[in-house]
């Protein structure tokens, strides 16, 4: 049997619980509000407008219990995206699990950059370290004429990416590939390589929140301090020595905000041209592009 609930009251109740019961300093008020909206949207299809208009929604007691259990898991510092099994990215909802990183808002900027510059039909794009497939699937939806390939070393991540491709009816080619170990010469060259590889240095873990450290896959996050550009060096090696990128093709990558100058130096040392470094919405060096010379 359903009961009617004020969505504004539910929203305020969830925010209050999150602020009162979460460990000190783990959630800002803005984050609590966003989390409350995500929970209500997931369980009751509530929108921000519904809250502003104080609409009512019907809900069974069982569903109410499930929603309260979800709030409790967030209070215990589990990311709300893993609790709900989904995350928003570029206007779409993607399934996520602890085997993949939660898609970040800044990565949407990387995807938008690729889309804006590569609208030509038939462009062949490789997403290295695809995780949830949010980059690859979004590129296919926004560039339907493109040939999109998505690689990850984790079979579990590839399964999530495949599920998301099916969910959004996006035809992408997925493969379990460890780019650090496998010889990839012989692959047909790509026009574009895009990647958001591990770039957080181990020493930076002390500044990170527990909900990231305890729940998101460390192999997709961290790189050792003594080799912070390890994955970028390998991507460039794949492009040049193993000819994974065609001459005149472009590499677009997300980077550690501290590594902008080092990345420029790395690309220049490898004779990449038209190097472009751009900042994210917080004015931090976050994305870089280089073109393989003819």
């Amino acid at each position: 049997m359903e009961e009617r609930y004020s969505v504004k009251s539910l929203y305020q109740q969830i925010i209050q619980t999150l602020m009162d019961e979460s460990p000190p300093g783990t959630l800002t008020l803005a984050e609590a509000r966003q989390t409350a909206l995500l929970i209500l949207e997931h369980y009751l299809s509530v929108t921000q407008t519904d809250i502003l208009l104080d609409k009512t929604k019907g809900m069974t007691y069982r569903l109410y219990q499930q929603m309260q259990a979800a709030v409790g898991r967030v209070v215990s510092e589990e990311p709300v995206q893993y609790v709900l099994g989904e995350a928003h990215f570029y206007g779409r909802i993607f399934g996520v699990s602890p085997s993949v990183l939660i898609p970040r808002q800044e990565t949407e900027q990387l995807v938008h950059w690729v889309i804006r510059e590569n609208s030509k039909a038939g462009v062949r794009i490789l997403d290295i370290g695809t995780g949830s497939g949010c980059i690859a699937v979004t590129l296919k939806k926004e560039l339907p004429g493109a040939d999109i390939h998505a690689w990850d070393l984790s079979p579990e991540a590839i399964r999530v990416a495949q599920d998301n491709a099916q969910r959004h009816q996006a035809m992408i080619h997925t493969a379990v590939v460890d780019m650090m170990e496998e010889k990839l010469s012989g692959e047909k060259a790509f026009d574009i390589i895009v990647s958001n590889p591990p770039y957080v240095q181990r020493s930076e873990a002390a500044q990170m929140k527990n909900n990231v450290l305890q729940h998101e896959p460390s192999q997709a996050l961290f790189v050792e301090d003594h080799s912070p550009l390890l994955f970028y060096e390998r991507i460039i090696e794949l492009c040049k020595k193993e000819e994974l990128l065609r001459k005149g093709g472009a590499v677009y990558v997300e980077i550690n905000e501290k590594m902008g100058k080092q990345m420029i130096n790395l690309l220049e040392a490898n004779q990449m041209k038209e190097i472009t470094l751009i900042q994210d919405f917080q004015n931090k060096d976050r994305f870089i592009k280089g073109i393989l010379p003819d």
Side-chain angles (χ1 to χ4, degrees), residues 209-247:
K209 292 184 177 182
N210 285 337
N211 63 345
V212 175
L213 292 174
Q214 295 178 3
H215 295 280
E216 298 202 54
S218 61
Q219 71 177 7
L221 276 172
F222 291 108
V223 67
E224 300 302 329
D225 287 46
H226 60 77
S227 53
L229 303 183
L230 173 69
F231 292 100
Y232 304 99
E233 292 166 348
R234 176 57 175 155
I235 288 170
I236 292 173
E237 182 180 45
L238 290 173
C239 291
K240 295 183 67 179
K241 292 184 179 179
E242 300 193 27
E243 299 181 341
L244 202 61
L245 186 68
R246 69 165 176 80
K247 297 289 195 300

Side-chain angles (χ1 to χ4, degrees), residues 6-20 29 32-33 36-37 40 51-52 54:
S6 156
V7 294
K8 181 181 283 186
S9 295
L10 288 171
Y11 176 67
Q12 293 171 340
Q13 175 188 325
I14 294 171
I15 292 170
Q16 196 65 51
T17 301
L18 291 172
M19 295 305 292
D20 289 348
L29 180 56
R33 286 171 175 162
L37 181 59
L40 289 173
I51 295 169
L52 291 172
D54 196 15

Side-chain angles (χ1 to χ4, degrees), residues 167-187:
R167 177 178 193 160
H168 293 291
Q169 298 181 318
M171 179 59 194
I172 64 172
H173 307 279
T174 58
V176 177
V177 176
D178 184 348
M179 71 164 182
M180 300 303 294
E181 299 293 337
E182 297 179 39
K183 289 291 182 183
L184 301 171
S185 52
E187 278 278 347

Side-chain angles (χ1 to χ4, degrees), residues 101 107 110 127-131 135 151-153 179-180 193-201 217-223 227-236 238 251-257 263 266 286-288:
L101 285 183
T107 306
L110 174 67
D127 173 23
I128 297 179
T130 196
I135 292 176
W151 293 354
D152 203 288
L153 62 81
M179 71 164 182
M180 300 303 294
I193 290 178
V194 59
S195 185
N196 179 16
Y199 61 67
V200 180
Q201 296 180 50
S218 61
Q219 71 177 7
L221 276 172
F222 291 108
V223 67
S227 53
L229 303 183
L230 173 69
F231 292 100
Y232 304 99
E233 292 166 348
R234 176 57 175 155
I235 288 170
I236 292 173
L238 290 173
V251 176
Y252 297 79
V253 291
E254 186 168 327
I255 66 171
N256 188 312
E257 65 192 70
M263 281 298 302
L266 176 64
R286 185 64 67 195
F287 316 103
I288 197 166

Side-chain angles (χ1 to χ4, degrees), residues 98-118:
S99 63
V100 300
L101 285 183
I102 296 165
R104 262 62 173 187
Q105 185 180 2
E106 55 263 33
T107 306
E108 294 180 352
Q109 193 174 342
L110 174 67
V111 172
H112 187 67
W113 192 12
V114 176
I115 292 167
R116 190 177 67 242
E117 296 189 344
N118 298 282

